[in-house]
Amino acid sequence: MEDLGNDVRDCALVFEGGGYRASYTAGIARVLLEQGIDFGYVCGISAGASHTVDYVSRDLWRTRVAFLGRDGAELPGGMRSVLRGKGFFNADYLYEGSLRDGFMPFDWDAFVSNPARIRIQAFERDTGRTVTWTKDDMPTAMDMMDKVRASSTLPGAMKPLPVNGVVYYDGGLGTGAGIPIHLAEADGYEKFVFVATRPRGYRKTEPSKRSIALYQGVSHDHPYMRNALLTRWKRYNAALDHVDALEREGRCLAIYPDEMPVKNSTVNQDKLLAAYNMGHAQGERELPRLREFVFGSAEGGPHRTRDEIAQLVSAADGPESGKGYITIG
């Protein structure tokens, strides 16, 4: 496969995490792919890490179904998964398992061929170190999936999968507390499109006594993780204040959901589909503002006609979707 080009080189695309709230932002990512707006630098944490690799593979189908599930097949998590001893999100299947059996294939060739740089982040449990991974750390599709899972592993809700013998948890516990703009800043970027999973103005509150007890319970004898959990609210709010400052300077286009109709733990497919459709509609409304910020005019950048988009959507979501992609095993 020939290398894929990128038409946005001086601006980073940044995805916040948020569990199944990412069903909403999947709609926004999908609009970018439908329009052919291809960023050369993409970063994300937790659920945003999934968006990052799916977007760079330019996979319209996977970008949509990763947080909705395939038609006619329920998502692998939920209370049934808890009762089976597999955790609320059934991480073993949600990541590696669904890649192995072809339920959620991944276009590895496209991912490798796309010259876009990526960054995803995880938190090292036993040292408190924030770890950043790039494509160089992902020689195979399974290596990539392991690192996406590590970036997304919520304490108490998902079983951690050691990577090279090291236990990692959700990247939102580390630097930036879940707002990954710092990843792009560290690589020298000065312009950012930030796709959030909370409405504008949202801020976390200081943890209650009940939350503190929960954090202490899930962290056990791991003081770095406990401290990260207890301080995340304050660090998250500071990171959002930084986003606000970048917006005032004209260096960040922040896309906040008009509203967020689902929770990070929502697994009801009808609700997730509704959230996706809302996000997709907002993504289309945001296009003139995004084009102005990235390309200099409300009509700037690549355009596809409605007919061209309809053909792409039909090819991605029709009965042939998912065929020709990599599966492991």
Side-chain angles (χ1 to χ4, degrees), residues 30-61:
R30 172 80 173 236
V31 167
L32 296 176
L33 291 174
E34 290 172 354
Q35 293 290 330
I37 298 174
D38 301 312
F39 284 76
Y41 183 101
V42 191
C43 60
I45 290 175
S46 194
S50 292
H51 281 343
T52 296
V53 298
D54 292 342
Y55 172 87
V56 170
S57 74
R58 297 189 183 173
D59 192 334
L60 279 75
W61 176 79

Side-chain angles (χ1 to χ4, degrees), residues 35 37 287-288 290-303:
Q35 293 290 330
I37 298 174
L287 275 172
L290 184 141
R291 292 181 184 281
E292 180 74 40
F293 180 79
V294 174
F295 300 110
S297 77
E299 296 298 323
H303 285 261

